[in-house]
């Protein structure tokens, strides 16, 4: 038995996905069009701190875009936009108030958001890049500890179609799907408990062939619950953690859970040597089950988790970084897609009215599932290093497309203030 499994790269830092904000759809659409540090001659300050902003005609800056200086304080929110036009342009937002503020460019009738700047500090100017079509718009300024203030409605003339936008999602909107998903996870933890007990019984009885089959079955149950890993906390590391890339790390007592047992089952370990890791896995899953009813998932994380599940699958499963000998990374990636679908199903009623790409996302998810299923043959899965070149290319492309289409989903479900 080697000191560590062949081809194992360093494990991912931490055990749960981190929460990082994705760029909104409107920023994605206009990405690359604004040049940092562009000078807008239209902004002239008088006084300091709470002073006013004087405005002149919109100017074309060094980035080649039309710039308009706009006040973002609650006292004069939206003042300065006096010559509206369609097209990609920059609003240079200046906060002349005393506190930090969020600024949205909205449709005053539907509430849809076309652009946003967060955490605009007092005395600071920051750009908002937008692609405007014809219609009515208004800036909304949401200063800390105060009610939202909506500026004057500005009508952009013409018949140009509007750019990307979405009605804001509130914390209240996300509570029902979060509770439904949390209940689904609780049911899966029960399935997981039964699965790891079957695995333990196989090992206790010395039937390692059955143990390898039941190991995969139980592991895939766990991998379908990707959106809950952050709530699992330390339990995730105990149940599904990886070993450090150092000599002898796989023998470290702190290396436990599915991957510890995987390493033994596919590297010639005896049943006797696997009884303690199997018993610990059963105990850790039971502890998770006992504690789950007291846990609370954060509704604000729901949309972002859909992106992170696929991102983690691409980074760790499609590279083989979590393979400890079973060669079942594609099975894990397929389970991750199941988990993504479960999450999206619960968000569907909120997503479809806000994302014109929802149908395309569903089709892409189905295509990725089919391409992974082509590597599934009865009880076995094709290892990554045995995939045909064109098959590997299709799977890589599927996951790249999914990540691109899930980025707007993460932005749509980033909770925003509305009042």
């Amino acid at each position: 038995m080697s000191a560590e499994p062949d081809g194992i790269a360093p494990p991912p830092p931490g055990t749960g996905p981190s929460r990082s904000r994705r760029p909104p759809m409107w920023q994605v659409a206009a990405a690359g069009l604004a040049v940092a540090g562009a000078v807008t001659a239209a902004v002239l300050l008088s006084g300091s701190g709470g002073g006013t902003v004087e405005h002149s005609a919109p100017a074309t800056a060094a980035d080649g875009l039309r710039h308009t200086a706009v006040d973002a304080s609650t006292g004069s929110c939206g003042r300065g936009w006096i010559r509206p036009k369609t097209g990609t342009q920059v609003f240079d937002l200046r906060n002349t108030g005393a506190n930090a503020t969020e600024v949205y460019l909205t449709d005053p009738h539907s509430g849809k958001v076309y652009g946003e700047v967060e955490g605009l500090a007092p005395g600071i100017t920051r750009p908002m890049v937008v692609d405007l079509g014809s219609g009515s718009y208004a800036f909304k300024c949401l200063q800390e500890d105060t009610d939202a203030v909506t500026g004057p409605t500005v009508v952009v003339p013409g018949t140009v179609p509007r750019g990307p936008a979405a009605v804001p999602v509130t914390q209240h909107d996300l509570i029902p799907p979060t509770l439904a998903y949390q209940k689904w996870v609780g049911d899966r933890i029960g399935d997981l408990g039964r699965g790891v007990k079957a695995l333990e019984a196989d090992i206790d009885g010395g039937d390692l062939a059955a143990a390898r089959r039941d190991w995969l079955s139980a592991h895939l149950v766990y991998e379908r619950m990707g959106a809950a890993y952050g709530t699992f906390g330390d339990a995730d590391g105990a149940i599904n953690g990886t070993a450090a890339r150092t000599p002898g790390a796989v023998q470290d007592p702190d290396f436990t859970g599915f991957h510890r047992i995987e390493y033994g089952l596919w590297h010639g370990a005896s049943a006797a040597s696997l009884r303690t890791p199997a018993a610990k896995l059963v105990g850790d899953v039971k502890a998770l089950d006992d504690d789950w009813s007291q846990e609370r998932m954060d509704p604000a994380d729901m949309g972002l988790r859909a992106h992170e599940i696929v991102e983690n699958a691409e980074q760790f499963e499609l590279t083989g970084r979590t393979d400890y000998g079973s060669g079942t990374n594609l099975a894990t990636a397929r389970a991750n897609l199941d988990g993504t679908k479960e999450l999206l199903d619960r968000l569907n009623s909120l997503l479809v009215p806000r994302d014109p790409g929802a149908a395309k996302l569903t089709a892409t998810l189905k295509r990725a599932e089919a391409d992974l299923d082509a590597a599934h043959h009865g009880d076995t899965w094709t290892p990554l290093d045995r995939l045909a070149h064109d098959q590997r290319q299709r799977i890589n492309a599927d996951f790249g497309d999914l990540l691109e289409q899930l980025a707007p989903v993460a932005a749509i479900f980033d909770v925003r203030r509305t009042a």
Side-chain angles (χ1 to χ4, degrees):
M1 187 184 301
S2 60
E4 63 180 300
D6 296 336
I8 294 179
T15 59
S18 59
R19 189 171 196 274
S20 58
R21 179 165 179 132
R22 302 286 162 186
M25 294 183 297
W26 40 87
Q27 288 185 4
V28 172
L33 296 177
V35 176
V39 177
T40 304
V43 179
L44 299 174
L45 300 182
S46 62
S48 62
T52 61
V53 178
E54 297 179 8
H55 305 277
S56 61
T60 300
D63 56 13
L65 296 178
R66 188 171 187 265
H67 281 242
T68 303
V70 174
D71 197 317
S73 65
T74 56
S76 52
C77 181
R79 196 185 68 175
W81 189 16
I82 56 177
R83 296 186 183 178
K85 288 186 178 181
T86 60
T88 302
Q89 53 199 282
V90 180
F91 293 107
D92 292 303
L93 303 173
R94 175 77 175 181
N95 182 5
T96 59
N99 297 308
T101 187
E102 298 179 10
V103 187
Y104 301 153
L105 179 62
T106 69
D107 179 331
H109 305 298
S110 68
K112 288 184 177 180
V113 176
Y114 288 85
E116 67 179 334
V117 168
E118 290 189 308
L120 182 60
I124 299 299
T125 300
R126 282 169 54 191
M128 175 191 288
V129 184
V130 291
D131 184 8
L132 294 185
S134 304
S136 297
Y137 299 89
F139 282 98
K140 178 178 283 190
C141 302
L142 301 99
Q143 192 174 102
E144 292 179 355
D145 302 321
T146 63
D147 293 337
V149 174
T150 300
T153 297
V154 175
V155 178
V156 178
T159 58
V160 178
R162 297 194 185 201
V167 176
V169 173
T170 67
Q171 186 95 351
H172 181 75
D173 294 332
L174 287 170
I175 289 174
T178 303
L179 292 175
Y181 182 80
Q182 186 163 333
K183 182 181 184 303
W184 178 84
V185 169
D187 293 340
R188 299 294 77 73
I189 294 174
D191 295 340
L192 178 64
R194 289 183 286 275
V196 295
K197 286 178 181 177
L199 172 61
E200 181 185 37
D202 295 335
I203 291 173
D204 287 345
D207 190 346
L208 296 187
R212 283 187 281 272
R213 290 193 299 270
D214 286 337
W215 176 89
L216 179 59
S217 177
H219 187 235
L220 297 185
V221 172
Y222 187 80
E223 290 287 350
R224 291 186 182 100
M225 297 185 284
Y229 293 166
T231 311
F232 288 170
D234 292 342
D236 181 45
I239 293 171
N240 206 42
T242 54
R245 190 175 173 82
T246 56
V250 291
Q251 278 79 43
D252 189 323
D254 291 334
F255 178 38
T256 63
F258 278 112
H259 292 303
R260 169 65 183 88
I261 296 171
E262 177 190 7
Y263 179 78
L265 287 173
W266 275 272
H267 285 81
S270 66
S273 70
L274 292 174
R275 286 173 185 158
T276 297
K280 185 177 188 315
L281 177 59
V282 169
D284 288 334
V285 170
K286 184 180 185 305
L288 177 64
D289 194 11
D290 291 343
D291 292 343
W292 185 246
S293 64
Q294 305 303 314
E295 299 295 338
R296 296 293 181 269
M297 295 185 66
D298 185 352
D301 287 343
M302 293 290 280
L304 183 60
R305 293 296 187 232
H307 188 282
E308 287 179 334
I309 294 169
V310 175
E311 187 175 46
N312 288 346
E314 182 186 56
Q315 186 176 2
F316 302 122
E317 304 307 329
L318 298 189
T319 61
R321 290 177 64 181
T322 54
D323 181 14
Y324 282 77
S326 68
T328 58
N329 286 108
L330 293 179
T332 300
R334 182 64 172 83
N336 294 157
L337 293 188
D338 289 341
T340 301
K341 185 175 182 300
E342 289 290 343
L343 187 57
L344 291 175
D345 283 350
R346 283 155 183 79
L347 296 173
N348 188 64
S349 63
L350 295 172
L351 178 62
V352 170
R354 291 171 168 83
D355 185 3
K360 181 181 178 183
L361 172 60
T362 298
T364 302
L365 188 58
K366 289 181 178 178
R367 185 178 73 240
E369 291 171 344
D371 286 339
L372 287 174
D373 287 342
H376 187 197
H377 314 284
D379 292 333
T380 64
W381 286 79
T382 303
L384 285 170
D385 59 1
R386 296 182 193 172
L387 281 176
H389 178 72
D390 62 338
Q391 194 174 15
R392 180 60 186 262
Q393 292 294 96
R394 284 197 303 273
I395 292 171
N396 288 346
D398 291 339
F399 276 75
D401 288 347
L402 280 173
L403 286 174
E404 181 178 345
Q405 293 169 41
L406 284 167
V409 174
I412 287 169
F413 288 106
D414 197 354
V415 172
R416 293 173 172 84
R417 280 182 60 191
T418 58

